[in-house]
Amino acid sequence: MQHIKQYVDEHRQRLLDELFALLRFPSVSADPKYKADVLNTADHVAQKLRDAGADNVEVCQTAGYPIVYGEKIIDAAKPTVLVYGHYDVQPADPIELWHTPPFEPTVRDGKIYARGACDDKGQFYMHVKAFELMMQTDTLPCNIKFMIEGEEEVGSSNLSIFVKANKDKLKADVVLISDTSMISMEHPSLETGLRGLSYVEVEVTGPNRDLHSGVYGGAVANPITILSKMIAAMHDENNHITIPGFYDEVIELTPAERTALNNAPYDEAEYKKDLDVVELWGEKGYSTFERTGTRPTLEVNGIWGGYIGEGAKTVLPSKAHAKISMRLVPNQTFEQITQLFTKHFLSIAPANVKVKITPHHGGEPVVTPTDSIAYKAAQKAIAESFGKEPIPTRGGGSIPIVALFEAELGLKTVLMGFGLDSDALHSPNEKYDIFNYYKGIETIPLFHKYFAELSGF
Ligand code: BES
Ligand code: MN
Ligand code: MN
């Protein structure tokens, strides 16, 4: 531990400056306008891996954005850790709500404000720097492979093709990912599951053209009103989702598992204060942790239609749209839930509108083992660097590729995230605590050390 602390101390400023340089790339994968920037980010990450001491560094081309690969094989007999992360970020919009520019990292109150600060540049870069530390101090105890992709925020569809085509190259013993949250720095935790995702877009069409809302209003169904009613009908008075069969495959937690989950520290007043809401909302009979970690949900992510410009325009629109996501838990599947949604949504549409449903990307839910060598290594690493045993939790977000690692590579994942739910991922003013960044760089070498040790090396 001493050599770790000393290395971080000696390189403190540079470690931060390098993260800032990475954060300045506007690597927004969803918006074609940033194509050149995303490609430049991949080259930059590759160079940083080379500088840190990785061999066979490659910017692997795909039909979309490239995957950055690099490795250090010290001894074929030793175990191999495959580190996954993503260099792409979510769009910064709404840009006017940022207090400082999203791609000009700024420190306020010990926190780095920038798009990607936590999700996932600040987190995957800790692995690059921890690797550098192990190389420089001659303490790398196992083999390491890096796979940093550029399309996580848009569904990783090209990564799944890459994984299927490169099983040998990606051979490893475990996947290690820092792209999730901890409860808090005082209550370090390890996520032991991720929810799946089904994401659909719906279009409701009424009359064949926009109409004068005075001339036709009152005589023709307004698609916005109809869509709103359909969406409102997706939850009942207990906030259960009304799609028939939606919960059929859901594995209920045992009373012991529920108790364990609900024992994690949780301050409801603080939670509400952070979000500025007077009351929480959710499925009756479940706690907040259960609602976000172990129960499926349905959310409207966006809704639009009609006139939304300046001033007033009297119009009865022809179309209304919404983007709807469903978070899934074991053993729901993306395909089955998408089908159930589609069937139900079409069935509740009144005859006065036409409904079109377009599925977007999705992913399967995962639960990660807590009895594996790798999980124990993560526990030991966190216990040592934080001075506290980590609490197991279930994450509400999705990293669809994790289920694919298991299906295609037969690899389990350890989710050793250092973010906080309050870091404003995907929101304006995303942030990452400088403390967490250094803490991550200090904890990761301990993971490798204990993983090698517990594997018999
Ligand atoms: N890193 C997040 C997922 C995450 C965040 C998991 C916090 C657990 C805790 C990831 O980058 C992400 O945003 N995933 C998307 C899904 C993707 C297909 C766009 C998500 O969860 O919405
Ligand atoms: Mn992420
Ligand atoms: Mn994300």
Side-chain angles (χ1 to χ4, degrees):
M1 188 70 189
Q2 196 43 47
H3 73 280
I4 298 177
K5 280 227 176 302
Q6 192 185 336
Y7 190 89
V8 171
D9 267 345
E10 276 168 14
H11 298 272
R12 202 158 274 275
Q13 190 57 43
R14 178 180 57 83
L15 294 171
L16 198 59
D17 290 345
E18 284 191 28
L19 174 58
F20 276 37
L22 178 63
L23 291 170
R24 285 192 187 101
F25 287 85
S27 52
V28 180
S29 51
D31 187 345
K33 181 170 99 200
Y34 294 101
K35 183 165 179 197
D37 299 296
V38 183
L39 295 172
N40 289 337
T41 314
D43 291 338
H44 178 82
V45 172
Q47 191 52 48
K48 287 296 157 189
L49 277 176
R50 275 183 213 110
D51 294 348
D55 298 327
N56 303 321
V57 175
E58 266 180 87
V59 176
C60 307
Q61 300 305 318
T62 71
Y65 287 123
I67 293 153
V68 183
Y69 179 84
E71 62 182 23
K72 188 77 202 177
I73 308 297
I74 52 164
D75 178 350
K78 291 192 173 168
T80 303
V81 177
L82 175 60
V83 175
Y84 163 83
H86 62 95
Y87 65 81
D88 66 321
V89 298
Q90 286 276 328
D93 320 60
I95 194 99
E96 65 279 8
L97 297 183
W98 284 78
H99 300 313
T100 48
F103 298 107
E104 186 42 58
T106 312
V107 176
R108 287 195 297 281
D109 194 20
K111 296 166 186 77
I112 309 159
Y113 285 84
R115 173 55 88 230
C118 176
D119 184 10
D120 178 38
K121 286 173 170 169
Q123 295 211 61
F124 92 73
Y125 205 64
M126 300 179 318
H127 287 268
V128 180
K129 293 297 101 179
F131 170 62
E132 171 196 297
L133 181 159
M134 292 186 282
M135 291 298 289
Q136 290 298 319
T137 55
D138 208 11
T139 54
L140 181 66
C142 55
N143 304 314
I144 188 163
K145 294 179 176 179
F146 286 92
M147 179 167 65
I148 314 296
E149 72 151 318
E151 296 188 315
E152 196 277 340
E153 300 291 9
V154 291
S156 305
S157 52
N158 291 300
L159 181 67
S160 41
I161 298 168
F162 180 82
V163 167
K164 287 176 191 161
N166 289 281
K167 291 190 185 179
D168 251 359
K169 190 193 191 91
L170 301 174
K171 238 174 145 52
D173 295 279
V174 70
V175 180
L176 179 62
I177 303 179
S178 296
D179 193 21
T180 52
S181 309
M182 281 196 173
I183 297 173
S184 68
M185 285 298 108
E186 297 73 46
H187 301 292
S189 57
L190 277 165
E191 288 193 9
T192 60
L194 290 164
R195 291 195 292 184
L197 180 67
S198 162
Y199 199 111
V200 298
E201 188 161 331
V202 300
E203 181 191 84
V204 174
T205 307
N208 61 2
R209 59 186 189 277
D210 285 2
L211 304 174
H212 189 292
S213 65
V215 175
Y216 287 98
V220 178
N222 184 320
I224 297 181
T225 311
I226 303 292
L227 174 59
S228 305
K229 282 192 174 183
M230 290 169 73
I231 287 172
M234 301 308 284
H235 291 95
D236 69 13
E237 67 281 8
N238 293 321
N239 299 326
H240 283 293
I241 294 154
T242 54
I243 300 171
F246 188 80
Y247 294 98
D248 282 3
E249 305 300 324
V250 172
I251 298 180
E252 292 279 344
L253 269 61
T254 64
E257 285 174 318
R258 291 186 70 174
T259 308
L261 208 64
N262 288 320
N263 269 342
Y266 166 66
D267 183 339
E268 183 155 315
E270 190 51 43
Y271 193 92
K272 291 196 286 198
K273 188 166 157 256
D274 177 47
L275 303 175
D276 209 358
V277 295
V278 174
E279 240 182 57
L280 296 180
W281 180 96
E283 191 183 0
K284 196 174 171 187
Y286 295 93
S287 68
T288 296
F289 275 139
E290 291 176 316
R291 287 168 176 171
T292 59
T294 70
R295 298 295 295 168
T297 56
L298 181 149
E299 294 296 334
V300 185
N301 296 253
I303 180 163
W304 70 102
Y307 182 69
I308 51 168
E310 282 289 312
K313 176 192 176 195
T314 50
V315 61
L316 192 166
S318 166
K319 286 180 192 295
H321 309 254
K323 291 180 194 275
I324 297 173
S325 67
M326 287 157 282
R327 297 283 168 172
L328 317 178
V329 300
N331 278 335
Q332 291 179 305
T333 67
F334 151 63
E335 207 180 290
Q336 180 215 15
I337 291 300
T338 306
Q339 265 175 25
L340 289 178
F341 172 87
T342 304
K343 193 165 161 236
H344 181 62
F345 208 70
L346 291 174
S347 80
I348 63 171
N352 48 29
V353 294
K354 294 183 204 72
V355 175
K356 192 171 119 197
I357 299 170
T358 314
H360 283 262
H361 51 246
E364 309 297 0
V366 282
V367 172
T368 60
T370 52
D371 56 358
S372 64
I373 286 177
Y375 185 82
K376 285 181 186 135
Q379 270 181 319
K380 281 182 79 134
I382 288 173
E384 183 168 333
S385 74
F386 286 78
K388 265 180 202 165
E389 283 291 326
I391 302 162
T393 60
R394 292 281 190 96
S398 309
I399 309 178
I401 208 70
V402 173
L404 197 102
F405 292 149
E406 191 163 338
E408 295 296 331
L409 303 174
L411 291 182
K412 301 281 186 190
T413 293
V414 170
L415 299 163
M416 197 166 70
F418 294 87
L420 299 176
D421 282 345
S422 54
D423 278 342
L425 320 180
H426 298 198
S427 306
N429 306 304
E430 178 179 346
K431 63 178 186 290
Y432 193 42
D433 213 300
I434 295 177
F435 178 85
N436 301 33
Y437 177 62
Y438 290 127
K439 204 71 178 165
I441 298 174
E442 290 171 11
T443 307
I444 291 162
L446 295 171
F447 170 86
H448 292 277
K449 174 179 169 228
Y450 290 124
F451 183 59
E453 267 181 33
L454 293 170
S455 305
F457 290 94

